[in-house]
Amino acid sequence: MKNKKSIRVVAYIPLVFWLLFTLVLFGYTFLASFSTTREIFTNRLLHSGFHFSNYTNLFELESIGRYFLNSVIYTTAACFGIVAVAAPAAYILGRVTFRGKKLVDTMFVSALSIPGLLISIPLFSLFVSLKLTGSILTLILIYIFVNVPFGVFLLTGFFSSIPKELEESAAIDGCGPIKAFIRIIMPIAQPGILTLTIFNFMSVWNDYFFALIFANNDKTHTLALALQSIVNGYTNSGNYAGIFAASMIVFLPTFILYLFVSGKIVSGITIGSVKG
């Protein structure tokens, strides 16, 4: 028992160091976002008090509020769209036996290995031919298409782990397959759907590559693109305090979300790994 405890303590040492390192970085960034550039370079953070103007200037001068709203629209619409497309597909793959099922399942899994860089040019050519470039809808569709394979892969395990007796009982009571899927299976699969939504939220919110290609005008820019523009501009002007403030605005939403739902992510993945 003592050997097991000592091994456990030794195993936790790297995690403790990683946690301390992360807390120091986060704390420094947070304090630097309320300091002046001079205080940052002289290592005297908050020496003259809190400077909330670092944040207010971003909203008043850089219009970061508009880009924040764009990212909220992209992320919310994409998360709903991914679940709407992936859930029925995963339900069929996890609950129904049909000819070619393994092939379809393999195709979804194989799609996870395709890098975004490889499909960016064909996607751009497709949307140009459809005259859908330069709109918010374009990037929403891109996020849905790109993330559906992962959604199907993740939800298939959840749906396959649900007892089939529930659907049989619903069929006896006169509940059809579609009605059973909506009223019985979807509520039971909420942990998996929530886990998928959280992963998609973090992925879409922090995306830079597809936003750079398809959100090609100021009205459709995301917060990640705005951050890159702010970093370039403030680096030239020497406003490093503003850079820290902009970084916190981009970082905090996903950080706060993870604090509230981190336990549900772990439990959701555990449930989905029972069968798959």
Side-chain angles (χ1 to χ4, degrees):
M1 293 295 294
K2 291 183 179 180
N3 291 333
K4 289 183 178 180
K5 290 182 178 179
S6 60
I7 292 174
R8 182 176 298 179
V9 171
V10 173
Y12 276 109
I13 290 177
L15 295 178
V16 172
F17 278 106
W18 175 84
L19 178 61
L20 292 175
F21 177 74
T22 303
L23 290 176
V24 170
L25 289 181
F26 175 76
Y28 182 87
T29 304
F30 180 77
L31 296 178
S33 67
F34 289 100
S35 304
T36 64
T37 301
R38 181 181 294 274
E39 290 171 344
I40 293 173
F41 280 97
T42 57
N43 201 23
R44 303 174 67 186
L45 300 180
L46 300 180
H47 179 71
S48 59
F50 285 86
H51 294 266
F52 294 96
S53 58
N54 294 335
Y55 287 89
T56 57
N57 289 337
L58 290 172
F59 287 91
E60 294 174 359
L61 303 178
E62 304 297 335
S63 301
I64 199 171
R66 180 179 65 186
Y67 304 125
F68 189 94
L69 179 60
N70 285 346
S71 290
V72 170
I73 294 173
Y74 288 131
T75 305
T76 304
C79 288
F80 277 106
I82 293 167
V83 172
V85 176
Y91 174 74
I92 297 299
L93 289 175
R95 312 288 290 180
V96 180
T97 302
F98 58 92
R99 183 178 298 178
K101 176 182 176 180
K102 290 185 178 180
L103 176 61
V104 176
D105 196 11
T106 303
M107 291 175 62
F108 276 108
V109 175
S110 301
L112 297 175
S113 63
I114 301 176
L117 180 63
L118 185 64
I119 63 175
S120 59
I121 296 178
L123 281 176
F124 185 78
S125 300
L126 175 63
F127 277 85
V128 168
S129 62
L130 295 175
K131 298 181 180 180
L132 291 176
T133 57
S135 66
I136 292 180
L137 178 62
T138 300
L139 199 53
I140 293 174
L141 293 175
I142 292 296
Y143 288 141
I144 293 175
F145 296 158
V146 171
N147 290 286
V148 159
F150 174 74
V152 174
F153 172 75
L154 183 64
L155 291 180
T156 300
F158 287 95
F159 289 132
S160 62
S161 64
I162 299 175
K164 293 186 177 181
E165 288 76 11
L166 295 174
E167 293 166 294
E168 294 174 355
S169 300
I172 294 174
D173 294 335
C175 187
I178 298 178
K179 195 173 182 180
F181 169 70
I182 296 175
R183 293 192 175 185
I184 298 176
I185 303 300
M186 288 292 285
I188 296 176
Q190 280 185 2
I193 295 173
L194 179 61
T195 303
L196 175 63
T197 301
I198 294 168
F199 279 125
N200 289 331
F201 179 91
M202 293 187 291
S203 174
V204 174
W205 182 269
N206 296 313
D207 174 72
Y208 176 81
F209 178 74
F210 287 110
L212 180 64
I213 297 175
F214 294 96
N216 50 13
N217 60 70
D218 292 338
K219 294 182 179 180
T220 59
H221 275 183
T222 64
L223 199 56
L225 293 179
L227 177 62
Q228 178 63 34
S229 177
I230 290 171
V231 169
N232 292 335
Y234 281 10
T235 300
N236 295 330
S237 62
N239 186 6
Y240 289 91
I243 294 176
F244 281 106
S247 301
M248 289 301 299
I249 292 176
V250 177
F251 167 73
L252 280 178
T254 53
F255 178 71
I256 294 173
L257 176 67
Y258 187 80
L259 286 180
F260 282 102
V261 299
S262 58
K264 294 182 180 180
I265 293 177
V266 176
S267 61
I269 294 176
T270 304
I271 295 173
S273 63
V274 175
K275 282 186 179 182

